[in-house]
Amino acid sequence: MLTPIGLVGGGAAIGALIRYTTMQLSKPLNQRWSLPVATLGLNLIGALLLGWDLTSPLPSSWQLFLGTGIMGGLTTFSTMINEIIILARHHQIKTALTYFVLSLGGGLLFGWLGTLL
């Protein structure tokens, strides 16, 4: 039986590897859009799955592994904030605000939708 720290750490490693791979594969897509679509997509998917995980009948060990672990490693608040700052520094204020609103509003919406699954 794994300890809670093992469940979270193992899940976080998986989530971080999925995020890294997705970010690498989506570089051509990000070059076509002014919005950081890869980070936005990962964070929205993470919010959806976290909403589901936290309201599911799964045992607490699975909730730790999937929610705190995988979703914690998959999603990234710090990258989103950094991308917003970079957009603003490059005088793309409208894009930065759009990204912020989509991230926050979309995250809340997707999290709520996840609770309905």
Side-chain angles (χ1 to χ4, degrees):
M1 182 170 182
L2 289 173
T3 64
I5 198 163
L7 291 167
V8 171
I14 292 168
L17 289 171
I18 293 169
R19 177 178 38 148
Y20 176 79
T21 303
T22 302
M23 298 298 278
Q24 295 303 308
L25 293 174
S26 67
K27 281 183 179 180
L29 183 63
N30 276 342
Q31 292 171 351
R32 282 190 257 161
W33 293 69
S34 59
L35 205 65
V37 291
T39 305
L40 179 62
L42 287 170
N43 285 343
L44 294 178
I45 289 167
L48 178 78
L49 294 175
L50 186 61
W52 168 79
D53 178 60
L54 294 177
T55 57
S56 73
L58 291 173
S60 61
S61 58
W62 275 101
Q63 288 181 334
L64 275 175
F65 176 71
L66 295 171
T68 307
I70 292 179
M71 293 309 108
L74 178 71
T75 61
T76 174
F77 181 78
S78 58
T79 298
M80 178 196 72
I81 294 300
N82 187 49
E83 289 169 342
I84 290 170
I85 291 169
I86 289 169
L87 287 168
R89 283 187 179 162
H90 287 95
H91 307 289
Q92 296 178 349
I93 303 300
K94 185 178 177 183
T95 303
L97 288 173
T98 300
Y99 182 35
F100 174 75
V101 169
L102 286 173
S103 294
L104 184 61
L108 290 169
L109 175 65
F110 275 60
W112 175 72
L113 289 173
T115 67
L116 301 177
L117 293 177

